[in-house]
Amino acid sequence: MLGNFCVISRMKRLWAILTIVVCSPFIIAQETIAVVDFDGKGVSVIEASALTDRFASELFNLGVYRLIERERVGEILEEQGFQQSGCTTAECAVEVGQLLGTEKIITGSISKVGNVFSVSSRIISVESGEIYKMSNYDYQGDIGQLLMTGMRIAVNKLISGKAPKIIETIKVASLIINEIEGRNIEFYIRSMNGDESFNNGFYTTPIRFENVSIGSYSINMENSYYEIENGERINYNQFQSVGKKRIDDDVGVKVKWVELKGGEIKEVNINLIKSKPVWEVSTNVDGLDNPYIYIDTGKVDKEYPNGKYYRSYISTLSSVSGSGWQSGSYKMFIDETGYDLYSDTLVLEEGKVTKIKANLIRTPGDITINSNQPADFILEGQNVEEEYTGKTSTTLKRLQPGTYKLSVQKDGFITSRREVKMDYANENVFVTLVSRDSLEQQILSLEQQILSLKRKQKMLSRGGLILIASGGLTWFLAEKNYEKYQTAGADADKVFSTVETQDILYPIFISAGSISLLSRLYFQLKIKNLIRPKIKNLNKILDDGVIEEQ
C-alpha cells in the first residue's frame, strides 16, 4: 500500500513539473485580452450577459491570456456611450481595446432559432484590427445547459480547436469520472472485455482510477438521486455523458460507454438527467359523486371527447396523479355536478412533483318565481344591498344560500309575502294572489251565513221550548191518568193503554226539545268562534293589504 502511495506521489510531482514546462511560455508571455458582452439574437440582454460572463470565466480558467475585468470593460464602454452589447464591430472593438490597453479583444453573438443556440465568437487584434481567430459553436437544448457546459466548449473551440488523437502505445490507461456539477453520484462500472479490475463494484464521483486495462467499459447509475433547490426537491433518475449519445443497456438504465486506449488519461464528465415530471391533483371535498379531471394535452387523440384531452376519474379520496409527462404548461379542468367548473394551469417541470389542491366551490342554486297573475316581485336577501326585482315568471340565477324575503304585488290584489330558504338546490316558488273583490265577497258570504244561522237559532229555540213543554204536559197527563187507572172500573184497560202511550211520548218530546236547544247553542258558538274570526281576519287583510304566507 505504501509503495503504491509513493508511486502515485512521484507521478503527481512529475505531472506538476511537466505542467510547468508546458505552460511556462504562456506564463512568461501571456497577452492581455478583454471580452465584450455578446450580442443577443433571440435571447434576452440578461441571458446574453450571463453567458458572456461564463465565457470569460472559462477563458480565464484556461490560463492562456491575462483577462481584463469585465467591470472595467463596462466602465470604458459606458464612458464612450456604448451599451455592453452594442460594441459588435471591429472598429468599436479596436477602440475599446486601445482604451483598455489590451492586445486582443473578443466579441461575438449568441443566437437562438427554435431550441438551437449558436455561439459565434472571434478574437480581434487591437493593433491591426484584423480577426485573429473565429469560431462557431452550435448547441441544441435549454439555455441552462448551454451556460453550464456549452460555453466551456465554445471557449476551447475558439482558443485551441480540436485536440489531436493520441497514438496507442501503452496497454493501460487512467480513467477520471466526474459529475459535471460536482455531485456525489453512486455508480458501478461493467467491463465489456472480461476484465475484472472493477469487479462490478460501486463507486462515488468524483474518482480517478489508475492502470486501467484498455478496452470498453460501461458506467451505470446505481440509484435515483435528488437534491433540494430553494426548499424544493429535484429528482434525478438517470444520467448521460455530456455531448454523447445515450444507450440503453439490458436493464433499461441509461449508461455511458467508454473506450480506453493505451496511455490515455480519459476524463468522463457525466451529467444527471432530471426525472420526468410527476403531478398530483386533489380537491377540498371528499366523497364526490362523479368528478372528472380533464387536461388539455394539445395532441390529437381519438380516445378523448374533442381529440386532445386526458380524462381521468377522481376517486373517493378526491385525488388523481400522473407520471411520465413532458415538461410544459397544461390547461386543467375539474367537472363535478353541483360545483362550479374548476380550471387551473398545470405547470410541469422535469425533476419536480407538481401538486395542485383544487378548491371546488358549490354552485349556487336558482330560484324561479311564478304567480297565478302577472305581478311584480321584490326579493330581499340577508345583505341589505342584496335586492332583486322583476315580474313573474322569472328565474334568478346563482343565488347564495340563505333566507330571502319575497313580496309579490299587483294593483287590485292583496300583496303576498313569504320567506324563501335557499340552499344549493334550485327552488320553485308559486304565489297565489287574491283579489280585494274576492275577499269582500267572502266577507259578505260569511255575514249571510251568520244571518242564516241566527234565523235557525230562533226556530230551534221556539221548537225546542214547544217540544219540551209538550213533553212536560204529556208527563203531567200520564200521571193524572195513572191515578184514574187506580180507581177505574170497567174501562181500566183503556185508561192503562193511554198511560203507556203517554209514558213513551213525553221523553221523546223532551229529548227532541233539548236537542233543538243544544243545536241553537252550537250555531251560536260557530258564529262566535269560527265565522266572526274569519270575518275579522279578512277585514284585517283588506285593511293591511298583505297576506303573510308560510
Side-chain angles (χ1 to χ4, degrees):
M1 180 65 71
L2 182 59
N4 291 337
F5 176 77
C6 292
V7 170
I8 293 173
S9 299
R10 292 182 63 189
M11 290 182 67
K12 288 184 176 178
R13 288 199 297 272
L14 179 59
W15 178 258
I17 293 170
L18 290 173
T19 302
I20 293 173
V21 171
V22 172
C23 297
S24 58
F26 297 104
I27 297 172
I28 295 170
Q30 281 185 317
E31 294 179 300
T32 57
I33 198 166
V35 180
V36 179
D37 262 354
F38 288 8
D39 186 25
K41 301 176 181 179
V43 298
S44 68
V45 173
I46 294 175
E47 290 171 334
S49 179
L51 291 169
T52 308
D53 284 340
R54 178 56 67 93
F55 187 97
S57 176
E58 298 292 350
L59 178 63
F60 175 79
N61 290 337
L62 286 180
V64 177
Y65 294 100
R66 287 191 300 111
L67 186 65
I68 301 297
E69 287 189 4
R70 303 246 303 124
E71 292 183 2
R72 177 62 181 154
V73 177
E75 291 173 0
I76 292 297
L77 288 172
E78 187 176 354
E79 290 173 2
Q80 298 303 311
F82 290 105
Q83 295 291 331
Q84 269 276 10
S85 60
C87 187
T88 57
T89 64
E91 292 78 6
C92 173
V94 170
E95 182 180 351
V96 172
Q98 290 172 346
L99 292 170
L100 290 169
T102 65
E103 295 164 275
K104 291 183 173 61
I105 194 163
I106 294 178
T107 65
S109 64
I110 301 171
S111 306
K112 181 183 179 184
V113 178
N115 67 339
V116 176
F117 294 88
S118 180
V119 180
S120 177
S121 58
R122 59 187 181 273
I123 302 176
I124 299 174
S125 171
V126 174
E127 181 180 355
S128 65
E130 296 179 349
I131 296 175
Y132 176 69
K133 283 186 179 181
M134 178 180 287
S135 172
N136 290 312
Y137 168 63
D138 294 330
Y139 172 80
Q140 184 173 10
D142 61 62
I143 196 167
Q145 289 299 114
L146 176 62
L147 176 72
M148 292 187 292
T149 62
M151 299 312 288
R152 181 190 306 171
I153 298 172
V155 168
N156 286 321
K157 193 171 182 182
L158 175 65
I159 301 302
S160 62
K162 296 183 178 180
K165 294 184 178 180
I166 298 174
I167 301 174
E168 182 179 352
T169 57
I170 306 174
K171 298 300 181 181
V172 292
S174 297
L175 177 60
I176 303 170
I177 301 177
N178 298 312
E179 199 282 323
I180 195 168
E181 294 294 332
R183 300 180 178 96
N184 301 122
I185 306 303
E186 191 176 41
F187 66 94
Y188 65 92
I189 301 179
R190 179 182 298 170
S191 173
M192 299 292 104
N193 41 275
D195 182 17
E196 297 183 0
S197 301
F198 297 105
N199 196 26
N200 293 332
F202 297 104
Y203 305 92
T204 304
T205 60
I207 194 170
R208 177 176 181 137
F209 301 100
E210 300 289 351
N211 300 319
V212 181
S213 299
I214 63 173
S216 299
Y217 296 87
S218 65
I219 303 172
N220 308 267
M221 185 173 181
E222 172 59 15
N223 296 312
S224 295
Y225 176 91
Y226 74 90
E227 60 185 15
I228 304 298
E229 292 182 5
N230 300 322
E232 188 173 10
R233 174 168 168 160
I234 309 298
N235 299 294
Y236 300 83
N237 60 6
Q238 296 169 345
F239 68 82
Q240 73 179 53
S241 173
V242 177
K244 298 294 183 181
K245 183 178 181 182
R246 292 175 291 175
I247 305 174
D248 292 337
D249 70 355
D250 54 350
V251 293
V253 179
K254 300 298 181 183
V255 301
K256 163 60 181 172
W257 296 88
V258 179
E259 185 72 26
L260 293 181
K261 299 179 180 180
E264 180 181 22
I265 300 176
K266 185 77 170 184
E267 183 174 359
V268 177
N269 291 316
I270 58 177
N271 186 23
L272 288 178
I273 301 175
K274 293 179 181 178
S275 61
K276 290 290 187 180
V278 175
W279 57 266
E280 180 181 317
V281 176
S282 59
T283 70
N284 59 319
V285 184
D286 286 335
L288 298 174
D289 293 332
N290 192 31
Y292 278 91
I293 181 171
Y294 297 86
I295 301 176
D296 188 350
T297 62
K299 298 179 180 179
V300 176
D301 193 331
K302 295 180 180 179
E303 181 181 349
Y304 305 125
N306 70 346
K308 63 175 184 176
Y309 278 98
Y310 166 85
R311 178 177 182 265
S312 179
Y313 175 74
I314 302 179
S315 68
T316 54
L317 297 178
S318 300
S319 66
V320 65
S321 59
S323 60
W325 288 55
Q326 297 296 325
S327 297
S329 297
Y330 300 82
K331 198 65 180 174
M332 180 194 75
F333 306 92
I334 296 179
D335 185 17
E336 161 66 353
T337 304
Y339 291 81
D340 288 346
L341 182 67
Y342 178 89
S343 64
D344 204 345
T345 300
L346 187 63
V347 180
L348 302 182
E349 297 182 50
E350 288 188 346
K352 294 185 179 181
V353 178
T354 301
K355 294 184 178 182
I356 289 182
K357 182 76 171 183
N359 183 28
L360 299 185
I361 300 174
R362 289 289 301 270
T363 303
D366 303 338
I367 179 171
T368 301
I369 303 173
N370 289 300
S371 61
N372 63 327
Q373 297 287 336
D376 299 320
F377 72 84
I378 300 175
L379 186 68
E380 299 175 315
Q382 300 175 79
N383 189 336
V384 176
E385 299 177 355
E386 191 176 18
E387 181 177 286
Y388 307 89
T389 60
K391 295 185 178 295
T392 59
S393 156
T394 296
T395 298
L396 300 174
K397 299 287 187 178
R398 300 176 61 85
L399 296 185
Q400 294 298 322
T403 301
Y404 293 79
K405 293 181 179 180
L406 174 65
S407 297
V408 180
Q409 57 190 20
K410 182 179 181 178
D411 291 341
F413 289 80
I414 304 299
T415 298
S416 176
R417 290 179 182 168
R418 66 176 64 185
E419 283 190 349
V420 180
K421 292 183 177 181
M422 280 296 298
D423 199 348
Y424 291 100
N426 296 333
E427 287 287 337
N428 291 309
V429 179
F430 187 85
V431 177
T432 301
L433 292 177
V434 179
S435 67
R436 289 181 170 274
D437 292 342
S438 174
L439 287 183
E440 291 173 354
Q441 288 294 328
Q442 290 183 45
I443 293 172
L444 180 61
S445 175
L446 290 173
E447 289 176 344
Q448 289 176 350
Q449 288 184 40
I450 291 174
L451 292 175
S452 175
L453 291 175
K454 286 183 175 180
R455 285 196 295 270
K456 289 180 180 180
Q457 280 183 315
K458 290 180 181 181
M459 292 176 60
L460 290 172
S461 296
R462 292 172 183 173
L465 292 173
I466 292 173
L467 288 173
I468 291 173
S470 298
L473 179 60
T474 303
W475 173 78
F476 178 75
L477 293 175
E479 290 294 324
K480 291 295 184 182
N481 286 327
Y482 183 72
E483 292 177 358
K484 185 179 179 182
Y485 164 73
Q486 291 179 340
T487 59
D491 59 350
D493 291 338
K494 183 177 179 181
V495 174
F496 184 76
S497 176
T498 300
V499 171
E500 285 183 334
T501 301
Q502 290 172 338
D503 283 341
I504 294 171
L505 291 175
Y506 83 80
I508 294 173
F509 290 148
I510 292 174
S511 299
S514 299
I515 292 172
S516 296
L517 291 177
L518 289 173
S519 297
R520 177 188 179 283
L521 180 61
Y522 166 75
F523 289 146
Q524 184 176 349
L525 293 174
K526 183 177 180 180
I527 292 170
K528 180 180 179 181
N529 298 326
L530 185 62
I531 299 177
R532 289 196 185 279
K534 284 186 177 180
I535 294 175
K536 183 179 180 181
N537 184 53
L538 292 175
N539 281 320
K540 185 176 184 306
I541 291 174
L542 284 173
D543 293 339
D544 296 342
V546 175
I547 296 177
E548 298 285 350
E549 298 188 39
Q550 298 296 324

